[in-house]
Amino acid sequence: MPHPVPPVVYVHLLSALAALVLGAVQLARRKGTPGHRALGWVWVALMTTAAVSSLWMPAFLRLNWVHVFTLVTAISLPMGIWQIRRGDPEKHAGTMRGLYIGGGVIAGAFTLSPGRLLGDLVWKGCWAC
């Protein structure tokens, strides 16, 4: 019988998926508008939630290379905010784009590996088989 999935996994999954979708919207829309700034703060909150929730996931106690993305997110988010507040939109854009690709797309793809919770759901049809 599979083990029950802790609620923090759902928090992590939902915030990460929402950040992935919203990040794509942000990258496609016009920059510097009030809407871009407002949605940017929502994206920052979603990425922060995904990163912080990863610290309470059961697999975190068994550290592996995937958890590097938590550290990268913890460094990149404040850096991107600092860059735009400092008046450097090019560096801000590069930092946020890199975080979206690395912390969203690449980290998300790695979660689909067999033996990981989401990977088992996708490839085997069950949580923690």
Side-chain angles (χ1 to χ4, degrees), residues 68-100:
V68 168
F69 291 108
T70 300
L71 179 61
V72 169
T73 300
I75 293 169
S76 297
L77 279 175
M79 182 186 305
I81 294 166
W82 178 73
Q83 290 165 335
I84 198 64
R85 291 197 180 240
R86 193 181 72 182
D88 196 341
E90 290 81 22
K91 284 188 179 177
H92 167 78
T95 297
M96 295 309 204
R97 188 179 311 108
L99 181 55
Y100 174 79

Side-chain angles (χ1 to χ4, degrees), residues 6-94:
V8 70
V9 172
Y10 294 109
V11 169
H12 180 75
L13 180 61
L14 291 174
S15 61
L17 286 174
L20 193 63
V21 171
L22 181 56
V25 169
Q26 282 292 83
L27 289 174
R29 62 183 287 133
R30 187 167 170 248
K31 311 303 184 266
T33 65
H36 175 82
R37 285 191 291 274
L39 289 178
W41 281 113
V42 172
W43 186 77
V44 166
L46 289 168
M47 289 296 289
T48 300
T49 301
V52 170
S53 64
S54 75
L55 298 173
W56 278 270
M57 293 180 66
F60 188 80
L61 297 175
R62 291 172 279 148
L63 286 175
N64 62 42
W65 58 270
V66 173
H67 294 102
V68 168
F69 291 108
T70 300
L71 179 61
V72 169
T73 300
I75 293 169
S76 297
L77 279 175
M79 182 186 305
I81 294 166
W82 178 73
Q83 290 165 335
I84 198 64
R85 291 197 180 240
R86 193 181 72 182
D88 196 341
E90 290 81 22
K91 284 188 179 177
H92 167 78

